[in-house]
Amino acid sequence: MDLIQKRPNKTFSRSVANFFGRSAIYKYTCRLTSAIYKRFIYGLFGTILTLYAGFAQKLQDSLFASLFSRKKERENSHTLGYKISRLCETSIFARLVGILKRDLLFCQLNALGILGFSFGFYSAAIILLKKYAFNTSEISFLSLALSVILIIVSTILLFSKKTLISVINESYALNFIFFDFLAMRKIASDDSESVSHFSAASSVFFGMILGALSLVMEPYKIFLGIFVIIACAVIMNSPETGIIALFVVLPFTPTMLLAGLVIVTAISLFIKVIRKKRLIKITPIDITVIAFCIFIISGGLISVDMMSSIPKMLVFVCFISMYFIIKNIIRSEQLAVCCVRSLTVGAVGVSVFGFFQYFFGSVSTIWQDAEMFSDIRGRAVSTFENPNVLGEYLILVTPVIFAMCVASKHARTKFRYFVAFMLCSSCLILTWSRGAWLGFIAAVLLFILLSSHKTLACTLLGIPALCLVASLFIDTSVINRFLSIGNTADSSTLYRFHIWEGTLGMLSDTWLYGIGIGTEAFSSVYPRYALAGTEVAPHSHSLYLQITSEMGIFALVIFLLFCVTLVSMVLATLKNSSAKNLKFILIGLFCGVCAFLVQGFTDYVWYNYRIFLLFWAVVGLCTALVNICKDEDSRRNLYM
């Protein structure tokens, strides 16, 4: 009966689609948009914009690229690279790490239970003795609770003789987390040659040592330290895991911890390259990024406030290195999808927290003109300190989430990504960030244009219906906020205009070399040129003005060259590649970057370090997808 009931609905939807698809107005609109696309793609402008593929091929065939060629090194196994690789593989440190990894994975749960019970018992005893016997410190209830929980869990583990790796392999949840979500390589649990040397005596010994550490530090810090060590070991074994984890934790993690994660991932990649387990490829866009890195370094070393600029420069260089890490590690469609999935999980977490904060928590009105927008109760910031920063985050990730909704083959997966897209786009409204809204609109228009001429035709025909739906469901306060763009009656808009004017006055004297990186350097020079009431501005409220003021006009030229190269690279791939699903994901990433750059006209979108890291990570993933599309096309041509 269920099948009989579903059939008419399916037939009706198909008949409606066929009716509109065969209509004369749709056919003529498709012909018009198809002609426009052909003129653009194969015309002079389209040919110039897609020259990247030719430059990339010339670079690949150049002498410089041959230095990184694995094929050349295979011809001679006595090269320095292979000697270094062999030395690393046979070193005592590498063998010791392998032994520790094997002992932990093939250790029985009862041995781990003994270790945990010993650790929890001694740490809890020390906490209570320090309070009631020696009266030297107050009880840390967090540490005591963790110790008690560890004792309870360890007691359960005492009755199991299964190995750790067998439990991981047999658990659906752990399988999904470690092997599906984090893309770790699966290890067989029935390896007869892998026997752990982790005994009950050693478990008690190590548990006592960990418990004794409670004398000098809080047990929760010991737990955190153990987790960090295990996480670093996992990333050193698989740098892909570090990248995927980064996309999830980025909105919730302090800057310095993110820097540590990037450094560990970079070291892991470096070791893999030395051991010939990963390969570095140089592309034309890499040259523009390297050149921009040089200007970032110069902006730290040549500064009016060098002591404050150098630390910021180091963080920028560390975070921009994630671009190179991602583009050289993410080499398959599966890994790219894992990255987008983790990005989606992080964005959903941010959006849910933003909703909870806006409707059930407290939101501030300090970022808006309270008199002009009295109907707005405040602006959501979620895990960021500023609503504009939250808007920057959301417009970077929302387009690719929608692209995954379109590219996914299964209805259940499409539904999940659609729900995530609606959450993120709704939270974007609650930021009330007009610059982010402009960027999002630019992303929507660009997505429609890059998808296909049929998508553009359907959009043109659906404009009246879209306007009707918008008038029914969009709140008037949203419309009033959007229409206030450029209105100098708004104090925040007038404030921006005055800052831009003062910054342009400063650039008349500092345009060549800039003043150095950071708010301290900007605040030490800008007040001399500022208009009345804007002397304490931390930055220029424009990405392009800020780049010029910090690093000089040539840094801006290099960054614009990078943007043009990125556009050419993506358009060339969309023009030449036949990998349909990958192209949709690439369009989503590219639209997010373009939306971000559009918002950069109205705000300094790199003010927050985490957003700076996310921008270069998304650009790296975009470049990686271009390489994946190229490899996919090569494989298809090989078997045709």
Side-chain angles (χ1 to χ4, degrees):
M1 290 296 294
D2 292 338
L3 293 174
I4 296 174
Q5 290 175 355
K6 288 181 180 178
R7 197 171 295 163
N9 293 332
K10 191 173 182 180
T11 305
F12 176 75
S13 62
R14 282 185 177 180
S15 61
V16 171
N18 290 334
F19 173 78
F20 285 104
R22 293 172 182 173
S23 63
I25 187 171
Y26 175 74
K27 290 181 178 179
Y28 284 121
T29 307
C30 281
R31 288 179 185 177
L32 175 63
T33 55
S34 178
I36 294 173
Y37 269 62
K38 288 180 180 178
R39 286 288 184 90
F40 177 79
I41 293 174
Y42 299 104
L44 178 62
F45 187 67
T47 303
I48 293 174
L49 278 181
T50 56
L51 288 175
Y52 178 87
F55 284 118
Q57 188 62 44
K58 288 182 179 179
L59 181 63
Q60 185 177 347
D61 298 336
S62 66
L63 178 64
F64 177 74
S66 66
L67 298 175
F68 298 89
S69 174
R70 179 176 289 180
K71 181 179 179 181
K72 182 177 180 180
E73 291 207 5
R74 280 177 178 172
E75 296 173 358
N76 185 4
S77 60
H78 299 289
T79 58
L80 179 61
Y82 270 90
K83 289 181 179 179
I84 295 175
S85 174
R86 185 173 181 81
L87 183 64
C88 291
E89 293 286 355
T90 58
S91 65
I92 296 175
F93 179 76
R95 283 184 285 179
L96 180 62
V97 170
I99 292 171
L100 291 175
K101 174 185 172 183
R102 181 195 63 197
D103 284 350
L104 180 61
L105 290 177
F106 288 89
C107 174
Q108 292 184 347
L109 293 185
N110 53 10
L112 291 177
I114 294 172
L115 186 149
F117 187 89
S118 177
F119 175 28
F121 175 79
Y122 282 105
S123 62
I126 289 173
I127 291 172
L128 296 175
L129 286 173
K130 287 168 69 176
K131 168 61 178 175
Y132 296 106
F134 303 105
N135 198 23
T136 57
S137 64
E138 294 295 327
I139 291 179
S140 173
F141 291 101
L142 175 61
S143 298
L144 185 60
L146 287 174
S147 299
V148 172
I149 293 172
L150 182 60
I151 292 173
I152 296 172
V153 173
S154 300
T155 303
I156 299 173
L157 296 180
L158 291 174
F159 299 97
S160 176
K161 291 186 177 181
K162 287 187 175 182
T163 61
L164 178 62
I165 188 62
S166 65
V167 172
I168 293 175
N169 287 337
E170 293 170 7
S171 170
Y172 177 81
L174 295 178
N175 253 279
F176 174 77
I177 294 172
F178 290 116
F179 306 127
D180 295 334
F181 189 80
L182 293 176
M184 296 172 62
R185 294 181 180 178
K186 208 162 189 177
I187 300 174
S189 56
D190 56 351
D191 190 353
S192 59
E193 297 181 0
S194 297
V195 180
S196 177
H197 299 90
F198 204 61
S199 62
S202 59
S203 299
V204 175
F205 175 73
F206 285 116
M208 289 175 61
I209 292 177
L210 291 174
L213 288 176
S214 302
L215 290 169
V216 294
M217 67 175 66
E218 293 291 341
Y220 78 88
K221 294 182 180 179
I222 302 174
F223 284 111
L224 183 61
I226 293 172
F227 173 79
V228 170
I229 291 172
I230 294 175
C232 290
V234 170
I235 294 171
M236 293 299 293
N237 182 66
S238 175
E240 294 85 355
T241 304
I243 295 172
I244 295 169
L246 174 77
F247 282 119
V248 177
V249 304
L250 186 145
F252 314 100
T253 308
T255 300
M256 288 299 103
L257 288 180
L258 288 174
L261 178 57
V262 172
I263 291 171
V264 172
T265 309
I267 293 173
S268 176
L269 174 61
F270 178 73
I271 294 174
K272 295 288 184 182
V273 171
I274 291 178
R275 297 172 65 188
K276 303 300 175 185
K277 293 190 174 182
R278 297 293 187 278
L279 185 64
I280 299 293
K281 285 187 177 181
I282 301 298
T283 56
I285 193 172
D286 298 346
I287 299 173
T288 61
V289 178
I290 292 170
F292 190 68
C293 279
I294 294 173
F295 278 103
I296 290 178
I297 295 172
S298 69
L301 299 178
I302 305 172
S303 172
V304 296
D305 191 347
M306 190 181 300
M307 295 302 295
S308 67
S309 294
I310 288 179
K312 291 178 173 58
M313 175 267 291
L314 293 175
V315 174
F316 278 159
V317 171
C318 173
F319 283 175
I320 205 173
S321 67
M322 184 51 70
Y323 162 82
F324 299 100
I325 295 170
I326 291 176
K327 74 165 287 286
N328 286 293
I329 288 181
I330 306 301
R331 292 293 179 85
S332 68
E333 181 179 357
Q334 180 185 3
L335 284 175
V337 171
C338 286
C339 289
V340 175
R341 185 166 52 194
S342 62
L343 191 65
T344 304
V345 171
V348 168
V350 168
S351 301
V352 170
F353 184 72
F355 271 105
F356 181 83
Q357 177 192 64
Y358 192 86
F359 292 107
F360 303 103
S362 59
V363 287
S364 177
T365 59
I366 62 174
W367 291 286
Q368 67 192 58
D369 190 326
E371 295 182 2
M372 187 172 183
F373 302 105
S374 57
D375 53 339
I376 299 176
R377 63 186 300 267
R379 301 174 62 183
V381 298
S382 189
T383 59
F384 300 94
E385 298 82 10
N386 188 293
N388 292 328
V389 177
L390 175 59
E392 293 156 12
Y393 173 83
L394 291 173
I395 62 172
L396 261 174
V397 302
T398 304
V400 71
I401 295 175
F402 180 76
M404 285 297 297
C405 177
V406 175
S408 298
K409 298 179 181 179
H410 303 289
R412 184 178 298 178
T413 307
K414 283 180 177 291
F415 177 74
R416 290 171 182 169
Y417 279 110
F418 179 75
V419 171
F421 169 74
M422 293 303 296
L423 278 172
C424 294
S425 55
S426 300
C427 187
L428 179 62
I429 295 175
L430 300 183
T431 65
W432 300 97
S433 174
R434 291 166 292 188
W437 291 355
L438 280 176
F440 183 76
I441 292 172
V444 170
L445 295 176
L446 189 60
F447 194 96
I448 292 170
L449 291 173
L450 293 178
S451 295
S452 69
H453 74 277
K454 292 182 179 180
T455 306
L456 178 59
C458 293
T459 304
L460 293 175
L461 293 175
I463 286 178
L466 291 174
C467 293
L468 178 62
V469 171
S471 63
L472 292 175
F473 291 99
I474 296 181
D475 192 79
T476 55
S477 57
V478 176
I479 298 174
N480 293 335
R481 177 75 174 174
F482 184 79
L483 293 178
S484 68
I485 295 175
N487 186 357
T488 55
D490 179 10
S491 59
S492 61
T493 303
L494 185 62
Y495 179 72
R496 268 184 173 77
F497 285 159
H498 286 170
I499 291 176
W500 292 342
E501 188 175 348
T503 304
L504 290 173
M506 180 181 70
L507 289 178
S508 64
D509 295 331
T510 62
W511 63 273
L512 188 59
Y513 300 110
I515 59 175
I517 290 176
T519 55
E520 290 82 358
F522 186 85
S523 299
S524 64
V525 178
Y526 168 76
R528 306 174 199 168
Y529 304 88
L531 301 183
T534 62
E535 295 87 353
V536 293
H539 51 76
S540 63
H541 281 279
S542 169
L543 173 64
Y544 310 98
L545 288 178
Q546 192 71 20
I547 290 174
T548 310
S549 64
E550 289 184 343
M551 296 171 279
I553 189 65
F554 295 110
L556 178 63
V557 171
I558 291 297
F559 182 73
L560 294 178
L561 179 62
F562 154 77
C563 295
V564 172
T565 308
L566 178 66
V567 171
S568 179
M569 177 184 71
V570 172
L571 293 183
T573 303
L574 296 178
K575 177 181 177 181
N576 301 321
S577 178
S578 57
K580 185 177 179 181
N581 289 337
L582 290 176
K583 284 167 65 174
F584 268 114
I585 302 174
L586 177 60
I587 290 173
L589 291 167
F590 179 65
C591 290
V593 172
C594 291
F596 187 83
L597 294 175
V598 168
Q599 187 175 359
F601 284 103
T602 63
D603 209 347
Y604 178 43
V605 288
W606 287 350
Y607 180 69
N608 187 286
Y609 289 124
R610 290 178 289 172
I611 300 300
F612 179 85
L613 172 60
L614 180 64
F615 172 79
W616 288 107
V618 170
V619 172
L621 188 56
C622 194
T623 308
L625 265 172
V626 169
N627 296 330
I628 294 170
C629 287
K630 184 178 179 181
D631 294 340
E632 185 71 20
D633 293 333
S634 299
R635 283 193 292 269
R636 289 181 180 180
N637 294 332
L638 183 64
Y639 294 104
M640 282 181 64

